[in-house]
Amino acid sequence: MLTEKDYKHLNSVERTQAKLLIQQAQKAPNARNDLMSNKDENNNTNVNGSVNVNKNNAVNSVSTTDTDFGSLAKKLKKSTAAKRKPKFDETHSRDSVWIRNDLKKVLKDVCTEKGDKTRIINEALEDYFRKLARELEQ
């Protein structure tokens, strides 16, 4: 049984798997028990891999492809990995530098929001390297 506390610790792929399992369980709550009790009966399996279980003249069809969550997880992981935005520490690196005191004071006064120092330093470095590249081309 998956508790709410356990659910909070799952990553997005695992949460998707858990949701699918919960939905499947809600659609056919007795299907698992029926399948387990009838697992030795091969006459209920048809050509496409679906299992038909008869209980009280009701027919529940549970496809084996619905329960193949391993391949579903791989597909979801590939699709979400390609679409996700890279994390900050994947696109940036920490470095220590010495800054003149007068420039540091101005930088501190100008930077009021989170990320301002990083943005200003990166823009300054970009401008410097563009200027250097133009000088080398001449």
Side-chain angles (χ1 to χ4, degrees):
M1 184 59 120
L2 183 68
T3 65
E4 187 174 328
K5 185 178 178 182
D6 295 331
Y7 184 78
K8 289 179 182 177
H9 295 290
L10 299 177
N11 65 35
S12 62
V13 173
E14 292 168 335
R15 284 184 181 176
T16 303
Q17 290 175 346
K19 286 179 184 178
L20 290 172
L21 286 170
I22 291 168
Q23 290 172 353
Q24 183 181 4
Q26 289 171 343
K27 289 179 183 175
N30 295 324
R32 183 179 185 276
N33 294 335
D34 294 342
L35 286 172
M36 295 305 286
S37 65
N38 295 325
K39 68 180 180 179
D40 295 330
E41 297 177 14
N42 292 332
N43 58 351
N44 285 339
T45 305
N46 63 19
V47 176
N48 67 6
S50 296
V51 177
N52 297 321
V53 179
N54 292 327
K55 184 175 181 180
N56 299 331
N57 294 329
V59 177
N60 295 323
S61 177
V62 179
S63 173
T64 56
T65 56
D66 289 345
T67 58
D68 187 14
F69 292 108
S71 63
L72 176 62
K74 289 177 185 175
K75 289 178 186 176
L76 288 171
K77 193 175 247 185
K78 286 180 184 177
S79 67
T80 56
K83 294 179 184 177
R84 77 170 178 85
K85 180 181 174 185
K87 294 181 180 178
F88 183 82
D89 62 351
E90 293 174 345
T91 59
H92 292 71
S93 297
R94 179 179 292 273
D95 200 356
S96 297
V97 296
W98 290 90
I99 301 173
R100 284 191 345 233
N101 290 337
D102 58 333
L103 295 175
K104 183 175 178 183
K105 183 181 182 324
V106 173
L107 185 64
K108 181 181 177 185
D109 292 341
V110 170
C111 298
T112 57
E113 296 193 19
K114 183 178 180 180
D116 282 349
K117 284 183 186 178
T118 300
R119 182 183 49 78
I120 290 171
I121 297 296
N122 283 322
E123 287 177 7
L125 287 171
E126 284 179 14
D127 290 344
Y128 173 78
F129 289 125
R130 282 190 188 109
K131 178 183 171 188
L132 188 62
R134 281 193 302 267
E135 290 175 1
L136 290 175
E137 289 176 353
Q138 295 177 358

